[in-house]
Amino acid sequence: MITLTHFLVVGACLFSIGLYAVLARRNAILVLVGIELMINAAIVNLVAFSRYDKAFYGGQVFALFAIVLAAAAVAVALAIILNVYKFYKSVNPEDIRNLKD
Amino acid sequence: METLVFYGFAAMAIGSAILLVSMRNIARALFLFFIVLFSVAGLYVFALADFIAITQLLIYVGGVLVLLLFAFMLSNKELLNQLQRGVSHFFAMPVWQALLIAVSFLAILIHTAIQVGADEPAWITASKTAGTTIQPGDNTVQHIGVQVMTQYLLPFEVVSILLMMALIGAAHLTRKEETP
């Protein structure tokens, strides 16, 4: 039986790596990958706590919802990234300076 | 033995995640993301959430990653030019600032995790003493199905509506405009 702390530490590591990717990378797609890593870390925590909730399975059900929401977010974000690329010819967040009116 | 395999999966996930964020070639980074997702699915199995692990494989590896690769293939011209020019400043923030923030956040999170392990919440202790933790032989899929259709029916419907909105929105965003 693996203890809760193991899962929490693994989740913390994945979350910090995702945070680093969001802060440091200059490609919108890799920033998105960083956000996905952070979501995965959150799901690890949900699932780890869910082992002690046999009555309602709250963690596992909400982990499912989180996976579905992340997939929807990726679809919309990639559509936006492709539009931005068509407009600016770049996916570097630094180059995107003005909003279209 | 179980712990060893767990450490193997955890090391694979964290190691390839670190390699992912430090890699310049984005196609390779995306394929490393494959490995991260697979090993995280393995970790879900160790938390006795087999259905979540299968869903992770189906949705993330089958759907999200293909979408990411697709977007990368459609938008990588600028990246190729950048690699050919050999840009000097590849990172948005100076690396050490991002590293500092990430490492200090990691320290806070690990401190919290160790504290949770030291004195665990009351409901976990109660569940342990009552013996109502999920056991390896339990039929989790059936329980999840029943719970989704009874206890969590409202969140389920809200998620389904949001998913439909997201799909319509994505289709609308990528549509070609007829007249400017």
Side-chain angles (χ1 to χ4, degrees), chain A residues 1-27 29-30 32-37 39-45 47-83 85-86 89-92 94-95 100, chain B residues 2-3 6-7 10 13-14 17-18 20-24 26 29-30 33 36-37 40 43-44 46-49 51-52 55-56 59-60 64 67-68 70-72 74-75 77-79 82 89-93 95 98-99 101-102 105-106 109-110 113-114 116-117 123-124 127-128 132-134 138 140 143-144 147-148 151-152 155-156 159 162-163 166 170 173-174 177:
Chain A
M1 207 67 168
I2 289 141
T3 58
L4 188 59
T5 318
H6 285 80
F7 285 104
L8 294 186
V9 169
V10 172
C13 292
L14 283 178
F15 191 91
S16 304
I17 294 167
L19 188 65
Y20 173 78
V22 170
L23 289 176
R25 296 314 299 257
R26 284 181 73 200
N27 186 303
I29 295 175
L30 274 179
L32 203 61
V33 169
I35 293 173
E36 294 300 313
L37 277 179
I39 292 175
N40 260 296
I43 296 173
V44 167
N45 280 15
V47 160
F49 274 105
S50 167
R51 203 169 53 185
Y52 303 102
D53 181 20
K54 199 177 185 176
F56 294 122
Y57 280 79
Q60 295 198 12
V61 173
F62 278 94
L64 276 181
F65 292 160
I67 289 176
V68 170
L69 289 185
V74 164
V76 174
L78 287 181
I80 292 174
I81 287 176
L82 286 183
N83 270 0
Y85 177 71
K86 254 192 296 187
K89 297 290 171 219
S90 161
V91 287
N92 184 349
E94 296 267 297
D95 295 341
K100 194 180 174 188
Chain B
E2 195 191 354
T3 323
F6 176 85
Y7 281 137
I14 295 172
I18 289 174
L20 189 162
V21 294
S22 57
M23 189 161 271
R24 285 193 167 207
I26 292 183
L30 285 179
F33 193 50
V36 177
L37 291 176
V40 171
L43 294 183
Y44 295 164
F46 277 98
L48 303 180
F51 186 62
I52 312 294
T55 315
Q56 163 104 350
I59 294 186
Y60 265 107
V64 169
L67 266 180
L68 283 171
F70 177 66
F72 163 70
L74 283 181
S75 69
K77 207 161 129 204
E78 177 248 7
L79 172 88
Q82 214 177 45
H89 53 289
F90 190 73
F91 297 101
M93 271 164 117
V95 181
L99 258 183
I101 293 176
F105 209 83
L106 178 69
L109 283 178
I110 285 185
I114 288 172
V116 168
W123 62 276
I124 290 183
S127 162
K128 269 183 184 167
T132 54
T133 58
I134 297 176
D138 284 346
T140 50
H143 285 294
I144 289 175
Q147 293 298 334
V148 163
Q151 174 86 10
Y152 301 109
F156 179 69
V159 163
L162 192 133
L163 191 59
L173 277 175
T174 46
E177 288 180 32

